[in-house]
Amino acid sequence: MTSVTARAPGRVNLIGDHTDYNGGLCLPFAVPMSTTTVARPRGDDRLRIRSKAFPKSWTGRLDDLTLDGRDTIPDWVRYVTGVLWAAREDGWPLPGLDLVIDSELPLGSGLSSSAALECSVAIAVGTLVDRPLDPGSRQPLAELCRRAETEYVGAPTGGMDQLASLLGKPDHAVLIDFADLSVRQVPLALREAGLVVLVTDTGTAHQLAGPDSGYAQRRAECDAAAAVLDLPRIGLAWADDLSRLEDDVQRARARHVLSESARVEDVLAAVAAGDWTAVGAILTASHTSLRGDFDASTPALDLAVFTAVDAGALGARLTGGGFGGSAIALVEEERADVVREAVDAAFADAELATPTHLTVLPSAGASVSRSG
Ligand code: GLA
């Protein structure tokens, strides 16, 4: 094989945030925008990694793929070398590689540009070295990418984004139960119902990596709550257990996690019944919980969410980690422009920079587009 081109999409999380690392439920779907990696094997042990988004390419050697070796590697390159590091740890026989990356996903926007990058590299390189990449083999691949992000990049994320990118399917969402890591593609016929998801990027990039990020703090608070209850993860608690948490902050974080998983189940029931009004109301309730109990929202996210609802969206919420990034609104297709304009006007009134918008529908997961 002389080269492989693979694409992996970003994701929107319809509902179920901050549940993955807590052993709860989430319901993301793949979006149409993706990251593409062209991988070519080399005859030597060199690595050359170039992204069209950055002026400088990075060159190194296979032996540089160690945890100690990562410190001199630029931040964005670590998402790539992290995948190569994890792949080697899993025994993939990697040759030297030329990798060229191109992305339609804005960085730090909450659409999982990092998972898309990791998954496109994993699928491209996995194809070159003959790894099984059929849908049944993709969960271990998602885990490899998550390890790259957690253990190598140092962003303690939970694994939802990689599973959505690798297992997305048009007109379906990916239901993931992190209690037992089971995954199911569930129909989400937004198109048929005349609905779209309007994504509003607030332009305040969120940062998941590092021990001081809001994300890492929330994770630590959830782990502390689980430890008090003597559970491996707080999502495995029962609602009755909450009263045993004496710390108000821990109790609020835990309440969000448990109520959010329950909302995922409620959304599944409402989707199955075709009750999109109910779906919308549950999405907005999720935002209220993420904003209050989980304290992961920002004024710009709140403005995007509540303006969208006032302008006629069925429901809206921040999506992903929060602390910046994007909000989503479930909206009738013909109302999307009105909602978008209302959000822009509200941002202008608040003297915030004009946000950017996308409309998305559940789309295909990662694939190899060319090899030869
Ligand atoms: C980020 C992480 C995910 C998940 C969400 C919050 O997107 O990468 O693993 O924890 O935040 O639901």
Side-chain angles (χ1 to χ4, degrees), residues 11 13 15-22 25-26 110-112 114-115 146 149-150 155-162 178 206 208 215 219 256 260 290 294 317-322:
R11 64 97 190 93
N13 188 18
I15 190 159
D17 270 315
H18 292 278
T19 46
D20 58 357
Y21 58 84
N22 284 312
L25 294 172
C26 59
L111 294 183
S112 283
S114 19
R146 190 201 59 77
E149 186 158 324
T150 303
T157 53
M160 162 177 73
D161 310 336
Q162 293 82 0
F178 279 89
H206 71 171
L208 300 179
Y215 186 93
R219 197 168 170 150
H256 165 73
E260 185 77 349
L290 282 159
F294 216 71
R317 60 187 291 278
L318 72 81
T319 189

Short mmCIF file of all heavy atoms in Angstrom, two decimals, residues 11 13 15-22 25-26 110-112 114-115 146 149-150 155-162 178 206 208 215 219 256 260 290 294 317-322, ligand 1:
data_model
loop_
_atom_site.label_atom_id
_atom_site.label_comp_id
_atom_site.label_asym_id
_atom_site.label_seq_id
_atom_site.Cartn_x
_atom_site.Cartn_y
_atom_site.Cartn_z
N ARG A 11 -18.10 15.38 16.63
CA ARG A 11 -19.39 14.94 17.17
C ARG A 11 -20.11 16.09 17.88
O ARG A 11 -19.48 17.06 18.30
CB ARG A 11 -19.23 13.76 18.12
CG ARG A 11 -18.45 14.07 19.40
CD ARG A 11 -19.32 14.39 20.58
NE ARG A 11 -18.58 14.89 21.71
CZ ARG A 11 -18.38 16.18 21.95
NH1 ARG A 11 -18.84 17.10 21.13
NH2 ARG A 11 -17.70 16.58 23.02
N ASN A 13 -22.80 16.18 21.10
CA ASN A 13 -23.46 15.31 22.06
C ASN A 13 -24.89 15.81 22.23
O ASN A 13 -25.10 16.93 22.70
CB ASN A 13 -22.72 15.30 23.40
CG ASN A 13 -23.29 14.25 24.33
OD1 ASN A 13 -23.99 13.32 23.86
ND2 ASN A 13 -23.03 14.36 25.61
N ILE A 15 -27.21 14.62 24.23
CA ILE A 15 -27.44 14.73 25.69
C ILE A 15 -26.58 13.69 26.41
O ILE A 15 -26.21 12.66 25.83
CB ILE A 15 -28.94 14.58 26.04
CG1 ILE A 15 -29.18 14.96 27.50
CG2 ILE A 15 -29.47 13.19 25.72
CD1 ILE A 15 -30.61 15.33 27.82
N GLY A 16 -26.29 13.99 27.69
CA GLY A 16 -25.46 13.08 28.49
C GLY A 16 -24.04 13.62 28.59
O GLY A 16 -23.11 13.04 28.05
N ASP A 17 -23.90 14.78 29.28
CA ASP A 17 -22.54 15.33 29.42
C ASP A 17 -22.01 15.15 30.83
O ASP A 17 -22.75 15.21 31.81
CB ASP A 17 -22.51 16.81 29.00
CG ASP A 17 -22.21 16.92 27.51
OD1 ASP A 17 -21.29 16.20 27.06
OD2 ASP A 17 -22.89 17.68 26.81
N HIS A 18 -20.70 14.93 30.86
CA HIS A 18 -19.97 14.63 32.10
C HIS A 18 -20.52 13.34 32.75
O HIS A 18 -20.49 13.19 33.97
CB HIS A 18 -20.00 15.81 33.07
CG HIS A 18 -19.19 16.96 32.54
ND1 HIS A 18 -17.83 17.03 32.67
CD2 HIS A 18 -19.56 18.04 31.81
CE1 HIS A 18 -17.39 18.14 32.08
NE2 HIS A 18 -18.41 18.77 31.54
N THR A 19 -21.00 12.46 31.91
CA THR A 19 -21.45 11.15 32.37
C THR A 19 -20.45 10.06 31.99
O THR A 19 -20.38 9.03 32.65
CB THR A 19 -22.82 10.79 31.76
OG1 THR A 19 -22.75 11.08 30.36
CG2 THR A 19 -23.93 11.60 32.39
N ASP A 20 -19.66 10.29 30.90
CA ASP A 20 -18.83 9.17 30.40
C ASP A 20 -17.81 8.73 31.45
O ASP A 20 -17.77 7.56 31.84
CB ASP A 20 -18.22 9.45 29.02
CG ASP A 20 -17.34 10.67 28.91
OD1 ASP A 20 -17.19 11.42 29.89
OD2 ASP A 20 -16.76 10.88 27.81
N TYR A 21 -17.02 9.67 31.97
CA TYR A 21 -16.00 9.26 32.95
C TYR A 21 -16.62 8.92 34.30
O TYR A 21 -15.91 8.51 35.22
CB TYR A 21 -14.91 10.34 33.08
CG TYR A 21 -15.43 11.70 33.50
CD1 TYR A 21 -15.65 12.02 34.83
CD2 TYR A 21 -15.71 12.66 32.54
CE1 TYR A 21 -16.12 13.26 35.20
CE2 TYR A 21 -16.19 13.92 32.90
CZ TYR A 21 -16.39 14.21 34.23
OH TYR A 21 -16.87 15.44 34.60
N ASN A 22 -17.93 9.10 34.43
CA ASN A 22 -18.61 8.77 35.68
C ASN A 22 -19.42 7.49 35.61
O ASN A 22 -20.19 7.18 36.52
CB ASN A 22 -19.52 9.93 36.09
CG ASN A 22 -18.72 11.08 36.67
OD1 ASN A 22 -17.87 10.86 37.53
ND2 ASN A 22 -18.96 12.29 36.21
N LEU A 25 -24.68 7.41 31.14
CA LEU A 25 -25.16 7.25 29.75
C LEU A 25 -24.90 8.53 28.95
O LEU A 25 -25.02 9.64 29.49
CB LEU A 25 -26.67 7.03 29.74
CG LEU A 25 -27.21 5.75 30.36
CD1 LEU A 25 -28.74 5.82 30.41
CD2 LEU A 25 -26.77 4.54 29.54
N CYS A 26 -24.61 8.38 27.66
CA CYS A 26 -24.57 9.56 26.80
C CYS A 26 -25.05 9.19 25.40
O CYS A 26 -25.12 8.01 25.03
CB CYS A 26 -23.19 10.21 26.78
SG CYS A 26 -21.90 9.13 26.22
N GLY A 110 -15.68 22.56 20.81
CA GLY A 110 -16.63 21.67 21.48
C GLY A 110 -17.20 20.62 20.54
O GLY A 110 -18.10 19.89 20.92
N LEU A 111 -16.66 20.54 19.32
CA LEU A 111 -17.14 19.50 18.38
C LEU A 111 -16.15 18.34 18.29
O LEU A 111 -16.19 17.55 17.37
CB LEU A 111 -17.35 20.10 16.99
CG LEU A 111 -18.46 21.15 16.87
CD1 LEU A 111 -18.61 21.61 15.44
CD2 LEU A 111 -19.78 20.58 17.38
N SER A 112 -15.25 18.27 19.25
CA SER A 112 -14.29 17.17 19.33
C SER A 112 -13.34 17.10 18.16
O SER A 112 -13.13 16.03 17.56
CB SER A 112 -15.02 15.83 19.45
OG SER A 112 -15.45 15.69 20.74
N SER A 114 -10.27 17.17 18.54
CA SER A 114 -9.14 16.31 18.93
C SER A 114 -9.46 14.84 18.70
O SER A 114 -8.61 14.09 18.20
CB SER A 114 -8.71 16.53 20.38
OG SER A 114 -9.68 17.16 21.13
N ALA A 115 -10.68 14.42 19.05
CA ALA A 115 -11.03 13.01 18.80
C ALA A 115 -11.03 12.72 17.30
O ALA A 115 -10.58 11.65 16.86
CB ALA A 115 -12.40 12.69 19.39
N ARG A 146 -8.48 7.08 23.15
CA ARG A 146 -8.73 7.72 24.45
C ARG A 146 -7.46 7.67 25.33
O ARG A 146 -7.12 8.62 26.00
CB ARG A 146 -9.89 7.03 25.18
CG ARG A 146 -10.35 7.80 26.43
CD ARG A 146 -11.09 6.93 27.42
NE ARG A 146 -10.30 5.81 27.90
CZ ARG A 146 -9.33 5.89 28.81
NH1 ARG A 146 -9.05 7.03 29.37
NH2 ARG A 146 -8.64 4.81 29.16
N GLU A 149 -5.11 10.33 24.39
CA GLU A 149 -5.50 11.65 24.89
C GLU A 149 -5.29 11.76 26.40
O GLU A 149 -4.85 12.78 26.91
CB GLU A 149 -6.97 11.89 24.52
CG GLU A 149 -7.43 13.28 24.85
CD GLU A 149 -8.65 13.71 24.04
OE1 GLU A 149 -8.77 13.33 22.85
OE2 GLU A 149 -9.48 14.41 24.60
N THR A 150 -5.61 10.69 27.12
CA THR A 150 -5.54 10.76 28.58
C THR A 150 -4.10 10.58 29.07
O THR A 150 -3.59 11.40 29.82
CB THR A 150 -6.43 9.66 29.18
OG1 THR A 150 -7.73 9.86 28.69
CG2 THR A 150 -6.47 9.73 30.68
N ALA A 155 -5.06 15.05 28.75
CA ALA A 155 -6.43 15.57 28.88
C ALA A 155 -7.29 14.41 29.40
O ALA A 155 -7.49 13.42 28.67
CB ALA A 155 -6.96 16.06 27.53
N PRO A 156 -7.78 14.50 30.64
CA PRO A 156 -8.40 13.33 31.26
C PRO A 156 -9.83 13.10 30.79
O PRO A 156 -10.77 13.06 31.58
CB PRO A 156 -8.37 13.69 32.76
CG PRO A 156 -8.49 15.19 32.76
CD PRO A 156 -7.82 15.68 31.51
N THR A 157 -10.03 12.97 29.49
CA THR A 157 -11.38 12.87 28.93
C THR A 157 -11.91 11.44 29.05
O THR A 157 -11.16 10.52 29.39
CB THR A 157 -11.39 13.34 27.46
OG1 THR A 157 -10.38 12.60 26.77
CG2 THR A 157 -11.08 14.82 27.36
N GLY A 158 -13.21 11.28 28.71
CA GLY A 158 -13.87 10.05 29.11
C GLY A 158 -14.10 8.98 28.06
O GLY A 158 -14.49 7.87 28.38
N GLY A 159 -13.92 9.29 26.77
CA GLY A 159 -14.08 8.25 25.75
C GLY A 159 -15.31 8.37 24.88
O GLY A 159 -15.44 7.67 23.87
N MET A 160 -16.24 9.27 25.23
CA MET A 160 -17.44 9.42 24.39
C MET A 160 -17.11 9.89 22.97
O MET A 160 -17.67 9.37 21.99
CB MET A 160 -18.37 10.46 25.04
CG MET A 160 -19.39 11.02 24.09
SD MET A 160 -20.52 12.16 24.86
CE MET A 160 -19.54 13.60 25.12
N ASP A 161 -16.20 10.85 22.86
CA ASP A 161 -15.97 11.50 21.57
C ASP A 161 -15.42 10.52 20.53
O ASP A 161 -15.82 10.52 19.37
CB ASP A 161 -15.00 12.67 21.73
CG ASP A 161 -15.40 13.59 22.86
OD1 ASP A 161 -16.60 13.62 23.19
OD2 ASP A 161 -14.53 14.27 23.42
N GLN A 162 -14.47 9.69 20.98
CA GLN A 162 -13.85 8.73 20.05
C GLN A 162 -14.86 7.68 19.59
O GLN A 162 -14.88 7.30 18.41
CB GLN A 162 -12.65 8.06 20.73
CG GLN A 162 -11.48 8.99 21.04
CD GLN A 162 -11.65 9.80 22.32
OE1 GLN A 162 -12.65 9.69 23.03
NE2 GLN A 162 -10.66 10.62 22.63
N PHE A 178 -21.60 3.81 29.87
CA PHE A 178 -20.25 3.67 30.41
C PHE A 178 -20.20 2.83 31.69
O PHE A 178 -19.13 2.63 32.24
CB PHE A 178 -19.62 5.05 30.61
CG PHE A 178 -19.06 5.60 29.32
CD1 PHE A 178 -19.85 6.36 28.48
CD2 PHE A 178 -17.77 5.32 28.93
CE1 PHE A 178 -19.36 6.85 27.29
CE2 PHE A 178 -17.26 5.79 27.73
CZ PHE A 178 -18.06 6.56 26.91
N HIS A 206 -12.59 26.13 24.65
CA HIS A 206 -12.41 25.47 25.94
C HIS A 206 -11.14 24.64 25.89
O HIS A 206 -10.65 24.25 24.86
CB HIS A 206 -13.64 24.63 26.30
CG HIS A 206 -13.81 23.40 25.46
ND1 HIS A 206 -14.73 22.44 25.74
CD2 HIS A 206 -13.16 22.98 24.35
CE1 HIS A 206 -14.64 21.48 24.83
NE2 HIS A 206 -13.70 21.79 24.01
N LEU A 208 -9.35 21.32 27.65
CA LEU A 208 -9.63 20.18 28.53
C LEU A 208 -8.36 19.67 29.21
O LEU A 208 -8.42 19.01 30.24
CB LEU A 208 -10.26 19.04 27.73
CG LEU A 208 -11.59 19.35 27.05
CD1 LEU A 208 -12.07 18.14 26.29
CD2 LEU A 208 -12.63 19.80 28.05
N TYR A 215 -12.51 21.18 33.56
CA TYR A 215 -12.87 19.79 33.29
C TYR A 215 -12.20 18.86 34.31
O TYR A 215 -12.84 17.99 34.91
CB TYR A 215 -12.44 19.43 31.86
CG TYR A 215 -12.88 18.07 31.42
CD1 TYR A 215 -14.09 17.91 30.73
CD2 TYR A 215 -12.12 16.94 31.67
CE1 TYR A 215 -14.50 16.65 30.32
CE2 TYR A 215 -12.53 15.68 31.27
CZ TYR A 215 -13.71 15.54 30.59
OH TYR A 215 -14.13 14.30 30.18
N ARG A 219 -13.91 16.54 37.29
CA ARG A 219 -13.63 15.11 37.34
C ARG A 219 -13.15 14.72 38.74
O ARG A 219 -13.60 13.72 39.31
CB ARG A 219 -12.59 14.77 36.28
CG ARG A 219 -12.56 13.33 36.02
CD ARG A 219 -11.79 12.91 34.82
NE ARG A 219 -11.73 11.47 34.93
CZ ARG A 219 -11.66 10.64 33.94
NH1 ARG A 219 -11.59 11.09 32.72
NH2 ARG A 219 -11.62 9.34 34.12
N HIS A 256 -26.09 16.09 39.31
CA HIS A 256 -26.09 16.29 37.86
C HIS A 256 -25.85 14.96 37.14
O HIS A 256 -26.57 14.62 36.19
CB HIS A 256 -25.02 17.29 37.40
CG HIS A 256 -24.80 17.19 35.92
ND1 HIS A 256 -25.73 17.66 35.01
CD2 HIS A 256 -23.84 16.58 35.17
CE1 HIS A 256 -25.34 17.37 33.78
NE2 HIS A 256 -24.19 16.71 33.85
N GLU A 260 -28.58 13.43 34.78
CA GLU A 260 -28.26 13.50 33.34
C GLU A 260 -28.45 12.12 32.68
O GLU A 260 -29.00 12.02 31.59
CB GLU A 260 -26.84 14.02 33.17
CG GLU A 260 -26.40 14.26 31.73
CD GLU A 260 -26.95 15.54 31.10
OE1 GLU A 260 -27.86 16.18 31.68
OE2 GLU A 260 -26.49 15.88 29.99
N LEU A 290 -26.37 21.37 33.98
CA LEU A 290 -24.94 21.60 33.72
C LEU A 290 -24.51 22.97 34.20
O LEU A 290 -23.38 23.19 34.63
CB LEU A 290 -24.65 21.48 32.21
CG LEU A 290 -24.58 20.05 31.70
CD1 LEU A 290 -24.81 20.01 30.19
CD2 LEU A 290 -23.23 19.42 32.04
N PHE A 294 -23.67 21.44 37.97
CA PHE A 294 -22.32 21.08 37.53
C PHE A 294 -21.41 22.29 37.31
O PHE A 294 -20.21 22.16 37.15
CB PHE A 294 -22.39 20.20 36.27
CG PHE A 294 -21.32 19.15 36.26
CD1 PHE A 294 -21.38 18.08 37.15
CD2 PHE A 294 -20.23 19.23 35.42
CE1 PHE A 294 -20.37 17.12 37.18
CE2 PHE A 294 -19.22 18.28 35.45
CZ PHE A 294 -19.30 17.22 36.33
N ARG A 317 -28.89 23.40 24.72
CA ARG A 317 -27.96 23.09 25.83
C ARG A 317 -26.54 23.27 25.37
O ARG A 317 -26.27 23.26 24.16
CB ARG A 317 -28.18 21.66 26.33
CG ARG A 317 -27.93 20.61 25.25
CD ARG A 317 -28.31 19.21 25.71
NE ARG A 317 -27.42 18.73 26.71
CZ ARG A 317 -26.23 18.17 26.46
NH1 ARG A 317 -25.80 17.99 25.23
NH2 ARG A 317 -25.48 17.76 27.45
N LEU A 318 -25.64 23.43 26.34
CA LEU A 318 -24.23 23.37 25.96
C LEU A 318 -23.94 21.93 25.56
O LEU A 318 -24.62 21.00 26.02
CB LEU A 318 -23.33 23.83 27.12
CG LEU A 318 -23.13 22.95 28.35
CD1 LEU A 318 -22.11 21.86 28.16
CD2 LEU A 318 -22.72 23.82 29.52
N THR A 319 -22.95 21.71 24.72
CA THR A 319 -22.64 20.34 24.32
C THR A 319 -21.16 20.06 24.57
O THR A 319 -20.32 20.92 24.31
CB THR A 319 -23.01 20.09 22.85
OG1 THR A 319 -22.88 18.70 22.57
CG2 THR A 319 -22.17 20.88 21.86
N GLY A 320 -20.86 18.90 25.12
CA GLY A 320 -19.47 18.54 25.40
C GLY A 320 -19.05 18.98 26.79
O GLY A 320 -19.86 19.03 27.71
N GLY A 321 -17.80 19.35 26.92
CA GLY A 321 -17.24 19.63 28.23
C GLY A 321 -17.71 20.93 28.86
O GLY A 321 -17.69 21.09 30.07
N GLY A 322 -18.13 21.91 28.05
CA GLY A 322 -18.53 23.21 28.61
C GLY A 322 -17.32 24.08 28.90
O GLY A 322 -16.24 23.87 28.31
C1 GLA B 1 -15.41 16.33 26.55
C2 GLA B 1 -14.69 15.00 26.78
C3 GLA B 1 -15.71 13.85 26.83
C4 GLA B 1 -16.84 14.13 27.78
C5 GLA B 1 -17.41 15.53 27.56
C6 GLA B 1 -18.42 15.90 28.60
O1 GLA B 1 -15.97 16.36 25.29
O2 GLA B 1 -13.77 14.78 25.74
O3 GLA B 1 -15.04 12.65 27.15
O4 GLA B 1 -16.43 13.95 29.11
O5 GLA B 1 -16.40 16.53 27.55
O6 GLA B 1 -19.52 15.08 28.46
#
